[in-house]
Amino acid sequence: YREQMLGWFKAHNKRAGRSGALKALRLADEAEIAEWSDPWSSSEDESSASEEDTEEAETLKANEQALASMKVGLTPDWIVHAACKVFDLVKPTIETPLIKGLLDPCTNSHLKPNIPAEKCYDKKDDGLKMSNSWEGYHVLLNPPYENQVQWRFINRAINEVEWERCPGVILVCRNSTDTSYFQRLLPFPRVHLRRTAVQFKDYNH
């Protein structure tokens, strides 16, 4: 191709100097390179697509972890209704959305409590503080499942019943029979062991 360009240049520009010949060679080189050069190879495309897939997977994983961190194990409605039946309390309605006489010492939210108890303590309030009284209330307790937090709530519930401050407590917890808190629960007359775990409202498995 270079030879053709040089032949064309000599035939049409016999009087041109060295600079004209060099220009013809440069144009010939650029034309030839343009025919075979591909700025983005297929391997680079695959690499780029792979990087995008990896970033997407990492983003999805981060979102799932963030969502999981927000899950608190919301008590299912059937347990709330069962508590009303056991304690002989009036179920919530549109007219009376809160269950009078019920305490949730570890609510998920004051604004939108999952358990519509008359009295609630959230994480900021800290229902474990002795200054936050449980006295006089029936208690529906579904404590956080972190070991150090769960057993403290359970021991507090047992103490409140033994000290006759609370007329009754319904407790949702792991049936870990080797733990000290479970051994403390055994003397009480109603310990119900389920075959399957409780299906919390904010979990899908």
Side-chain angles (χ1 to χ4, degrees), residues 2-136:
R2 286 163 61 93
E3 292 176 356
Q4 291 176 0
M5 288 293 293
L6 285 171
W8 180 88
F9 178 79
K10 290 177 179 179
H12 293 82
N13 275 309
K14 292 183 179 179
R15 296 182 179 178
R18 179 179 174 79
S19 61
L22 292 175
K23 181 179 180 181
L25 287 173
R26 181 174 58 80
L27 292 173
D29 288 340
E30 290 177 356
E32 187 173 3
I33 290 172
E35 290 183 358
W36 59 266
S37 178
D38 182 2
W40 303 103
S41 68
S42 58
S43 62
E44 289 177 338
D45 288 342
E46 292 173 0
S47 175
S48 177
S50 177
E51 290 176 359
E52 291 178 359
D53 292 341
T54 302
E55 290 179 1
E56 184 177 353
E58 290 177 350
T59 301
L60 180 61
K61 183 178 180 180
N63 290 340
E64 289 176 349
Q65 290 176 343
L67 182 61
S69 68
M70 296 172 63
K71 294 178 179 179
V72 293
L74 298 178
T75 306
D77 293 338
W78 69 266
I79 292 181
V80 177
H81 296 162
C84 291
K85 185 175 182 179
V86 170
F87 295 146
D88 196 22
L89 302 175
V90 179
K91 291 182 180 179
T93 62
I94 296 177
E95 291 78 15
T96 56
L98 300 180
I99 303 172
K100 189 175 181 180
L102 186 67
L103 166 68
D104 179 2
C106 43
T107 186
N108 61 302
S109 168
H110 279 297
L111 295 177
K112 293 183 178 180
N114 178 60
I115 299 175
E118 178 185 7
K119 184 72 173 178
C120 295
Y121 299 124
D122 63 9
K123 188 174 183 179
K124 184 177 180 181
D125 299 328
D126 190 357
L128 288 170
K129 288 182 178 179
M130 296 307 297
S131 57
N132 290 327
S133 176
W134 297 18
E135 189 169 0

Side-chain angles (χ1 to χ4, degrees), residues 86-87 158 161-162 167-169 182-193:
V86 170
F87 295 146
I158 292 172
V161 172
E162 289 182 341
V169 175
F182 193 91
Q183 296 302 314
R184 284 197 69 191
L185 288 171
L186 286 179
F188 291 90
R190 296 181 183 179
V191 177
H192 177 58
L193 302 180

Side-chain angles (χ1 to χ4, degrees), residues 174-204:
R174 291 190 181 98
N175 57 351
S176 302
T177 57
D178 59 334
T179 58
S180 58
Y181 72 75
F182 193 91
Q183 296 302 314
R184 284 197 69 191
L185 288 171
L186 286 179
F188 291 90
R190 296 181 183 179
V191 177
H192 177 58
L193 302 180
R194 289 173 52 89
R195 287 189 177 184
T196 58
V198 172
Q199 181 76 37
F200 296 121
K201 290 165 68 175
D202 52 340
Y203 283 78
N204 53 17

